[in-house]
Amino acid sequence: MKVDVSKLSAAELDKLAAQIEKRKETITQQNLHKALEDMQAVAVKHGVAFADVIKLYSGSRKNPKAVKGKPKYQNPENAKQTWTGKGRKPGWIVAGLDAGKSLEDFAI
């Protein structure tokens, strides 16, 4: 199927683009469902539950024994609250910084 877009108006092009996006989404969803069916069939072939395969994969991405890192900062009002200095700042750090404290004020 060939469409000559050179003669289409902006409104017609927008309509065509919307139809294309809708069709792409439909195809993507069909492919996802087919992939799921295929993966479930492979699990059955191996005599395992597909849900167990998913659990295994999900668990392998996060190592529960991994060391999170040594805390560098501690909440002076609650010693159980610590932060390694990596990732998002905890609320107590943000509140302290907003109150005029420096990061060094929380250093362990």
Side-chain angles (χ1 to χ4, degrees):
M1 175 177 151
K2 194 171 185 180
V3 177
D4 184 7
V5 295
S6 66
K7 296 180 181 175
L8 297 178
S9 68
E12 292 170 324
L13 287 169
D14 287 341
K15 185 177 178 181
L16 181 60
Q19 290 173 345
I20 290 169
E21 288 304 314
K22 185 176 180 181
R23 179 64 183 141
K24 284 172 55 179
E25 181 60 31
T26 299
I27 291 170
T28 298
Q29 290 301 315
Q30 289 172 345
N31 289 342
L32 286 170
H33 287 286
K34 178 63 176 140
L36 177 61
E37 290 173 11
D38 291 349
M39 287 186 272
Q40 288 171 330
V42 169
V44 168
K45 177 183 171 186
H46 289 281
V48 297
F50 183 63
D52 292 338
V53 174
I54 295 300
K55 284 181 194 174
L56 176 67
Y57 175 75
S58 297
S60 69
R61 295 185 74 167
K62 295 179 182 175
N63 183 353
K65 296 179 183 178
V67 178
K68 292 185 178 184
K70 186 176 178 181
K72 294 181 183 176
Y73 306 99
Q74 184 177 43
N75 185 348
E77 297 175 13
N78 182 350
K80 292 183 180 180
Q81 293 180 327
T82 60
W83 181 47
T84 62
K86 297 180 182 178
R88 191 175 194 177
K89 291 182 180 99
W92 53 269
I93 289 277
V94 173
L97 294 174
D98 289 345
K101 292 185 178 184
S102 70
L103 208 49
E104 289 77 32
D105 293 328
F106 300 100
I108 297 177

